[in-house]
């Protein structure tokens, strides 16, 4: 596994906590050079310093994925720092669940802006670099909600369905040497539930659905599996749930 990961330059959005942070740490352990992006630079700094202290190569840059120029600069920063870009992980996301008739319109906009437009910005930033060298890999982190819908998850699921559609469309359009992988996690330890603004719903979500959680490292291992395949093997989709998660 190490062989195909070692030396690769991997840029990760949303690397300041949860799954993105775990991807950065794990791929670095396997020898990748990692570029961390998110808004909380204090958190990025700590992660990058810890990776560097272990002998890894990590840099970070403030990134708001809703800003297309920011994302372009982030991908450019990877090339500037490490000479190339091999993998772009579209991971940043939020999940403010709510019933549609709560009319949390600002949160709907926010999810569309981060979960969908953020991924589009990632594609627009990294694809020209991949096309120029005719190689590269997108890893798009969706959710089991990219194929499952329930009360309170309509908008969140819609954003993740969109990314699943985008990923497969992209996979078909790009050159035979560019890979697109979708990783769909089930309930995973992270700060994601913090984005639920309704206190009762947050409590319910945590008590009913966020009990049997995967460690974020489990998703990082799935990403590593996809990245580690030989370049002519594109792992299209990986769905990873806690074994006990049967209902969603
Ligand atoms: P966290 O809340 O721990 O991490 C979310 C990350 O996204 C943070 O690093 C945050 O960084 C970043 N982020 C949010 N908004 C922006 C923005 N505008 N620009 C840049 N970065 C942003 O949750 P997870 O680790 O769980 O979430 C990662 C992905 O995994 C998401 O796409 C989520 O939908 C998906 N997922 C998670 C599951 C789970 O159970 N945990 C299950 C299924 C999917 P900052 O605030 O510093 O900008």
């Amino acid at each position: 596994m190490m062989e195909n990961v070692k030396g690769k330059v991997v840029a990760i959005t949303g690397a300041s906590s949860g799954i993105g942070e775990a991807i950065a740490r794990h791929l670095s352990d396997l020898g990748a050079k990692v570029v961390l992006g998110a808004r909380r630079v204090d958190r990025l700094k700590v992660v990058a310093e810890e990776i560097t202290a272990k002998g890894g190569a990590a840099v970070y840059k403030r990134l708001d994925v809703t800003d297309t120029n920011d994302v372009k600069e982030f991908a450019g920063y990877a090339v500037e720092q490490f000479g190339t870009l091999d993998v772009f992980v579209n991971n940043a996301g939020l999940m403010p669940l709510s019933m549609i008739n709560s009319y949390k319109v600002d949160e709907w906009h926010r999810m569309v802006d981060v979960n969908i437009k953020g991924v589009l910005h990632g594609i627009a930033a990294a694809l020209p670099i991949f096309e120029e060298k005719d190689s590269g890999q997108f890893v798009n982190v969706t959710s089991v909600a990219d194929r499952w819908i329930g009360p309170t998850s309509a908008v969140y699921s819609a954003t993740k369905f969109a990314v699943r559609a985008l990923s497969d469309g992209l996979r078909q359009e790009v050159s035979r040497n560019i890979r697109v992988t979708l990783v769909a996690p089930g309930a995973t330890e992270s700060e994601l539930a913090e984005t639920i603004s309704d206190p009762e719903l947050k409590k319910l979500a945590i008590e009913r659905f966020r009990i049997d959680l995967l460690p974020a490292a489990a998703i990082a291992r799935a990403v590593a599996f996809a990245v580690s395949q030989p370049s002519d093997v594109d792992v299209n989709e990986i769905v990873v749930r806690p074994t006990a998660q049967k209902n969603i």
Side-chain angles (χ1 to χ4, degrees), residues 13-21 37-44 63-67 70 90-95 110 113-115 141-145 156 160 183-195 210 213 216 219:
T13 71
S16 58
S17 63
I19 293 170
E21 176 184 338
R39 293 162 306 168
R40 291 171 296 174
V41 276
D42 51 332
R43 300 276 293 260
L44 296 177
L63 166 70
D64 185 337
V65 296
T66 66
D67 181 334
D70 249 27
N90 278 305
N91 165 75
L94 68 159
M95 187 192 67
R110 194 86 202 129
D113 286 348
V114 176
N115 298 5
V141 178
T142 55
S143 165
V144 289
Y156 179 68
K160 296 300 187 178
V183 175
T188 306
E189 277 171 13
S190 79
E191 299 173 13
L192 197 67
E194 295 305 315
T195 60
R210 298 188 64 76
L213 297 175
I219 307 305

Side-chain angles (χ1 to χ4, degrees), residues 88-224:
F88 194 91
V89 183
N90 278 305
N91 165 75
L94 68 159
M95 187 192 67
L97 302 174
S98 66
M99 297 291 279
I100 290 180
N101 68 3
S102 300
Y103 304 110
K104 292 184 180 278
V105 178
D106 289 347
E107 293 183 357
W108 302 347
H109 286 169
R110 194 86 202 129
M111 276 190 277
V112 169
D113 286 348
V114 176
N115 298 5
I116 304 178
K117 290 189 192 168
V119 174
L120 284 168
H121 296 159
I123 293 167
L127 187 55
I129 300 169
F130 293 167
E131 288 194 319
E132 170 81 29
K133 60 180 199 146
D134 197 24
S135 74
Q137 182 172 16
F138 285 100
V139 176
N140 295 337
V141 178
T142 55
S143 165
V144 289
D146 72 2
R147 61 200 69 211
W148 175 92
I149 310 150
T152 77
S153 92
V155 179
Y156 179 68
S157 291
T159 65
K160 296 300 187 178
F161 268 66
V163 175
R164 187 171 169 216
L166 264 172
S167 302
D168 207 50
L170 178 66
R171 180 186 67 77
Q172 294 172 53
E173 284 186 20
V174 290
S175 120
R176 53 182 290 137
N177 298 317
I178 297 175
R179 303 189 285 179
V180 181
T181 298
L182 180 139
V183 175
T188 306
E189 277 171 13
S190 79
E191 299 173 13
L192 197 67
E194 295 305 315
T195 60
I196 304 172
S197 62
D198 179 325
E200 289 205 355
L201 201 58
K202 187 194 237 173
K203 192 165 172 280
L204 189 75
I206 291 171
E207 284 171 0
R208 285 195 43 203
F209 300 111
R210 298 188 64 76
I211 32 178
D212 296 300
L213 297 175
L214 290 169
I219 307 305
R221 290 196 298 273
V223 172

